[in-house]
Amino acid sequence: MKTVIVAILLFLNFTSCTNTASVKINIDGKWKYVLKNYSVNITFKNGFYNSSNHHDDLIFHSKGKYFFLENTKRAKMTIVLVPDLVIEQSDTIIQDCTYLDVISATDSLIIVRNPWPFDYLDKKRNADIEVRKVSR
């Protein structure tokens, strides 16, 4: 009887020590976030993304694959957007990856750390940004 109780306690101890920082969300659909005069619309579907960044009157489109990256030194997980190569005439353009550090997540709202690449220009440096689901 003692062996059974010890085995159960060990099992509970090991299963309770799992990484509670991992987040499981259904990300497929259309999402949007806004920072001052900068907004981003992202559509996730089956491991691929398509984004449209609007900054004043400039519009930048990007598409590629996305991944979930778990790092124990980060708060939760990171959504990594890896854009496709763009080939214009004989030039190959390599776009930067985007890293969305997830703070908290539900099926309709994801709180991420400020993903704006020029955050040193923004007064809301390292601010938490609400990414809302627009539609499925």
Side-chain angles (χ1 to χ4, degrees):
M1 185 67 175
K2 284 184 183 179
T3 310
V4 174
I5 293 173
V6 170
I8 292 172
L9 289 175
L10 284 173
F11 175 76
L12 291 174
N13 187 32
F14 286 124
T15 58
S16 66
C17 292
T18 59
N19 184 5
T20 58
S22 66
V23 176
K24 304 295 182 215
I25 56 170
N26 180 10
I27 199 169
D28 283 356
K30 294 181 182 180
W31 297 79
K32 181 176 184 173
Y33 67 86
V34 178
L35 291 171
K36 290 187 179 179
N37 56 352
Y38 181 81
S39 67
V40 177
N41 297 307
I42 305 173
T43 303
F44 296 102
K45 187 171 183 178
N46 299 329
F48 294 93
Y49 80 93
N50 193 346
S51 75
S52 174
N53 303 340
H54 302 265
H55 188 268
D56 289 331
D57 60 347
L58 298 174
I59 300 173
F60 174 74
H61 296 283
S62 174
K63 66 178 184 154
K65 291 192 80 163
Y66 71 89
F67 303 94
F68 295 103
L69 180 67
E70 291 194 49
N71 183 343
T72 56
K73 296 188 180 194
R74 296 219 184 243
K76 299 274 186 193
M77 76 168 149
T78 303
I79 302 171
V80 182
L81 306 179
V82 181
D84 295 338
L85 291 175
V86 177
I87 300 174
E88 297 232 351
Q89 296 174 0
S90 62
D91 294 331
T92 301
I93 301 169
I94 300 174
Q95 301 171 355
D96 291 333
C97 294
T98 302
Y99 302 95
L100 303 172
D101 289 332
V102 177
I103 304 301
S104 68
T106 65
D107 285 340
S108 61
L109 175 70
I110 303 172
I111 307 293
V112 297
R113 190 63 64 188
N114 188 350
W116 175 239
F118 306 107
D119 62 355
Y120 57 88
L121 297 174
D122 194 350
K123 301 268 191 254
K124 293 181 136 184
R125 184 175 184 162
N126 292 327
D128 294 343
I129 305 302
E130 293 182 353
V131 183
R132 297 199 176 274
K133 193 167 204 174
V134 179
S135 68
R136 296 199 180 271

